Amino acid sequence: GSLKSSVFLLILYLLEGTLSNSLIQLNNNGYESIVIAIDPNVPEDEALIQQIKDMVTQASPYLFEATGKRFYFKNVAILIPENWKTKPDYVRPKLETYNNADVLIAEPNPPGNDKPYTEMIGGCGEKGERIHFTPDFLAGKKLTQYGPQGRVFVHEWAHLQWGVFEEYNDNQKFYLSNGKPQAVRCSAAITGTHGVPKCQGGSCITKPCRIDKLTGLYEQNCEFVPKTQQTEKASIMFQQSIGSVVEFCTEQNHNSEAPNSQNQKCNLRSTWEVIRESEDFKKTTPMTTQPPNPTFSLLQIGQRIVCLVLDKSGSMSNANRLNRMNQAGKLFLLHTVEQGSWVGMVMFDSVAYVQSELRQINSDADRDVLTRSLPTVPSGGTSICSGLRSAFTVIRKKYSTDGAEIVLLTDGEDNTISSCFNEVKQSGAIIHTVALGPSAAKELEELSKMTGGLQMYASDQVQNNGLLDAFGTLSSGNGAPSQSSIQLESKGLTFQNNNQWMNGTVIVDSTVGKDTFFLVTWTKQPPQILLWDPSGKLQSGFVVDAAIKMASLQVPGTAKVGTWRYSLQASSQTLTLTVTSRASSATVPPITLKTRMNQDTGKFPNPMRVYAKVRQGALPILRANVTALIESANGKTVTLELLDNGAGADATKNDGVYSRYFTNYDANGRYSVKIWVLGGITAARQRAIPHQNGAKYIPGWIENGQIKWNIPQAKINDNTSQEEQVCFSRTSSGGSFVASNVPSGSIPDLFPPCQITDLKAEIQEGSLINLTWTAPGDDYDQGQAHKYIIRISTSILDLRDNFSVSVQVNTTHLIPKEANSEEVFVFKPENITFENGTDLFIAIQAVDKANLKSEISNIARVSLFIPPQPEDTSTPYPSITTNSTICGFHILKIMWKWIGELQMSLALN
């Protein structure tokens, strides 16, 4: 009940079609408005709710002490599925949805994988997306594998809220330091033993770890097992399950040499240094009293309630805007909005008009009735607040406005819009805004921000299909995946001559096909429409609405899987094609596309980042062709190929999140974002969740001086046998952002190459060092850099802190390749001592033509290990080089002593 007061401030947009954006607020050291959602596929179990409460209650004091009495958990909303039984203490959510949940409780995928983890798509210090737990983990069935639930929650919270990374490394558990193998851990004062578990039939024995004679490291299956009794207090991001561990690593105890994600991504900084730089830390001081226990709100998903608030002012006659709005509104009403939803409609000019009270959509007839309420004649001024107030009235006649959605479209300016901001905040409604054309009120985005709504922009460039894309994105934030509308295609073309053709294909894959809907629009005369299904059968039955210039076809039943072909013929006009569908099965998750920018405002010369998450359920789709189209207020469109290569803007390779930097600003104002995805013969669905930032799986515990092993977790192989080929197409609006500080006229080159984040080094024969990395560009990850600066040092911190004076490698013949190409460079260290046992550290800086330099890369390391010469085994005894008489005397002396002790022992017995 205490959530309502603080959820309205500083909230980024959310909804299906965007990645998760949190409602979390920090208020007087306490975190509020945390949303923990139970997935609808989790079987109903009331005990799960209590287990969530117990976890958070246990975590709060642990977090409080670990952060020097700065932070605790104040209140949490638990989102309960609609298909669970209704109870009196369950209330309707306000702004909380599955899409903005901070924690998701879901069944393991694949089965048996109960690893707690946090999705992270950004860099060091950037907030994560969402924490994942399973019911078995919450029930305490994984205590020996991961430790107490409350401690694990704090580990994941640090990923989510402060953007810190793991201090272990499951792919490289040991490294060489001064010629000796060390366990990857933080702090290095954590003590333990090592061994190889040999398991069969549910029981394990310990084998000693063998050292690889070529590398000097322990064999691959060797595990480091910390002792249960420790005095070291750090670190939570290494293994919070150790009883003594109650702190994060600091500058004083951080292990900067350990090859882990925290060091690689955070420039060797400790987790506490990163936390200390966060906005949370900067606006708090330590508390002098103990914090209260967390409080909980139980929220149950209900029916969707949405009211369209549509501008019919005189300016809507420009650029055919009113007609285009009606086309988009019809797409939303005929297909996008889910069955069972309640929908109302308000239009406004200088005043507001109720076009339709709330009506539940139970049939096609209900949808048709609502489409007939769309406005037809533009006239009058623009009073946005009148439209919003009228929408509140329509909703309150039947329901509370808490959690209700309003879709607000306008093309006009309105200097009175701020007069209803307080009413909007108090309403508890979510407002999604659509800015149409170049003059829409600049305050629109404020309505989206303060209510957690989606913000979108559509230009007057009809061929870009922006308005239909915006309305096609407005699926419910709480709808089941099987009910959500999925956009398969969105294309447009302007014909300059007579009798031209717009030809193309749409892939209907096996995960979709239900309620497949083809929509064609035009600007002058109806085109000829030809559509063939995968078997080559020509489709008929398009319903033509000549008044608003559109034709639609609802494919009966489930559309055939395969490639559908279309041909549209027209003369001297603009045509668009939009294709949507729904999941073919309620039990098999569809392939989905969720998109967003890293922020909703861009300030030149800071780059924006585009993200597109392509998944089937939790499983990533790899090697798809993902393209972003970004349109400025000037009408200029930039095309970006998004990549999942773990370089540039992309944080993690092969996680199904495709990313790229955007630097092509050309004007101040709104920019719209649209994403296309095509999965062809190279695209594949990973059959297992890839590595995620999460709690370390505990290999075993030391009990009574012996290792008691847990059964090793299943390995995730990185080969093609773990993938399944998929062919599909998806498209989605990525919302909009607003750019500022863009200079007029020519845009100066102020963009350096992006940081290299995947530098790797290996020693080859003859002490040669082989470097590999992904090439940056001239402007971040686009174009071609001018040159590289490579420096080396035997001190990792000296290389980081004094890069410019460290030993430079000769790179005269190293010419940078085009951005995102693989670079390979081999060199032999010079002007530095490189002998057996030496640890050598290497970093790169890229430089562009304007002499702008990238940040220093991640630091790679190599350790020179010269295998010992094999021993001479020709004689069983080593040769004696000392004086034989003295040596013989000492041997006799030892033998006499031994005989004497034996005689005494026999006498006593």
Side-chain angles (χ1 to χ4, degrees), residues 754-766:
C754 65
Q755 182 187 30
I756 296 166
T757 57
D758 61 349
L759 177 65
K760 296 181 178 64
E762 290 182 347
I763 289 188
Q764 295 182 339
E765 191 173 343

Side-chain angles (χ1 to χ4, degrees), residues 116-250:
Y117 69 92
T118 303
E119 289 185 80
M120 301 181 73
I121 66 170
C124 184
E126 296 184 41
K127 293 184 180 183
E129 295 296 304
R130 177 176 292 174
I131 296 170
H132 290 254
F133 293 133
T134 67
D136 278 358
F137 167 79
L138 283 169
K141 297 179 182 179
K142 304 297 173 181
L143 276 174
T144 59
Q145 291 94 331
Y146 297 105
Q149 299 94 312
R151 284 179 167 232
V152 173
F153 185 38
V154 172
H155 177 106
E156 299 309 320
W157 184 263
H159 286 313
L160 180 78
Q161 190 65 14
W162 303 313
V164 298
F165 291 86
E166 297 163 349
E167 291 174 336
Y168 62 90
N169 187 343
D170 280 338
N171 296 320
Q172 183 186 341
K173 296 167 186 173
F174 297 90
Y175 65 100
L176 283 184
S177 180
N178 297 319
K180 296 181 179 180
Q182 295 288 336
V184 176
R185 65 200 190 279
C186 196
S187 80
I190 294 288
T191 58
T193 187
H194 46 76
V196 176
K198 294 291 183 180
C199 303
Q200 187 174 7
S203 62
C204 303
I205 60 172
T206 303
K207 295 286 187 179
C209 295
R210 293 176 297 179
I211 288 185
D212 188 311
K213 291 183 179 180
L214 295 178
T215 65
L217 290 171
Y218 292 123
E219 60 186 292
Q220 187 176 4
N221 294 329
C222 183
E223 297 279 2
F224 174 73
V225 183
K227 295 179 180 177
T228 50
Q229 300 299 317
Q230 305 269 352
T231 57
E232 179 59 31
K233 295 182 177 181
S235 168
I236 290 170
M237 301 313 293
F238 167 61
Q239 198 160 310
Q240 76 294 322
S241 54
I242 298 172
S244 66
V245 169
V246 292
E247 296 176 356
F248 296 96
C249 264
T250 66

Side-chain angles (χ1 to χ4, degrees), residues 619-623 654 681-688 690 716-726:
L619 302 179
I621 303 295
L622 308 182
R623 296 186 297 281
N654 289 344
I681 57 173
T682 61
R685 175 181 57 241
Q686 185 98 347
R687 292 173 58 191
I716 298 174
N717 296 324
D718 216 7
N719 53 40
T720 53
S721 66
Q722 289 293 311
E723 299 175 358
E724 296 173 346
Q725 181 180 315
V726 286

Side-chain angles (χ1 to χ4, degrees), residues 295-360:
T295 61
F296 298 90
S297 301
L298 305 182
L299 313 177
Q300 187 167 32
I301 302 302
Q303 293 170 315
R304 188 182 189 191
I305 302 162
V306 59
C307 186
L308 299 179
V309 179
L310 306 176
D311 188 346
K312 63 165 288 292
S313 62
S315 58
M316 289 291 288
S317 61
N318 299 332
N320 201 30
R321 291 174 194 157
L322 186 78
N323 195 67
R324 291 168 55 214
M325 179 183 73
N326 285 343
Q327 292 169 347
K330 199 164 183 180
L331 170 65
F332 177 79
L333 294 169
L334 291 181
H335 192 266
T336 305
V337 70
E338 299 81 2
Q339 200 81 346
S341 301
W342 290 85
V343 181
M345 190 186 303
V346 169
M347 64 181 181
F348 67 92
D349 44 44
S350 303
V351 295
Y353 313 84
V354 176
Q355 294 293 95
S356 174
E357 302 289 352
L358 286 182
R359 183 185 189 94
Q360 189 170 29

